[in-house]
Amino acid sequence: MEITVLTNVCACTLSPTNASYGVDGGSGIISVTTSTTNCVWAPQCAADWVTITSAAYGTGPGTVSYLVAANCDASSRTATLTVNDQNFTITQAGVTISPTSTYFDANGGFDSVQVTAGTNCSWVATSPVDWITITSTNGTGSGS
């Protein structure tokens, strides 16, 4: 294992300072501006769903590239990517269904629910009651 000791670490400015992603995730680039050309900076992110794809550190102005994995959970999530003393906030939507409720009169009826999920995210539809029949019980990615 190689250990790198950073010297000349200084303050930097990030642009932009945040980004939002849908359930499929994606990639992004952050511009790093420094006050001096020999300023050393290092990007870090503890979230396992964010991968820094650029170099482990940089000197002077530069960029940080990253990937955001698909979110297969119903909850949205937030991560902080840090470059020296500056934070970059990444937010990502969770799996959703629409509509979240419907109404039927005494005759019953048919309806569908749109599932918005990441491309590689599997889902299963179930009913907690025996008087609702689900005709399409599972899928991968978005569907109904």
Side-chain angles (χ1 to χ4, degrees):
M1 172 169 64
E2 181 179 321
I3 297 176
T4 304
V5 177
L6 302 178
T7 59
N8 294 326
V9 175
C10 62
C12 44
T13 304
L14 307 180
S15 179
T17 58
N18 60 69
S20 296
Y21 291 88
V23 291
D24 277 327
S27 62
I29 298 175
I30 307 165
S31 293
V32 179
T33 305
T34 61
S35 56
T36 63
T37 56
N38 66 344
C39 173
V40 177
W41 47 269
Q44 299 175 351
C45 187
D48 62 356
W49 51 275
V50 176
T51 304
I52 297 171
T53 57
S54 56
Y57 64 93
T59 303
T63 59
V64 174
S65 301
Y66 63 92
L67 291 173
V68 175
N71 185 1
C72 295
D73 294 329
S75 300
S76 61
R77 56 190 180 182
T78 302
T80 302
L81 190 152
T82 303
V83 179
N84 290 9
D85 62 343
Q86 297 296 302
N87 291 332
F88 179 83
T89 304
I90 300 169
T91 56
Q92 186 178 26
V95 174
T96 59
I97 61 169
S98 179
T100 57
S101 66
T102 192
Y103 172 80
F104 293 100
D105 62 21
N107 295 318
F110 176 84
D111 202 355
S112 65
V113 175
Q114 181 63 36
V115 178
T116 303
T119 305
N120 296 319
C121 298
S122 298
W123 50 268
V124 176
T126 61
S127 173
V129 294
D130 61 358
W131 49 271
I132 296 176
T133 302
I134 298 177
T135 58
S136 175
T137 60
N138 59 43
T140 300
S142 295
S144 62

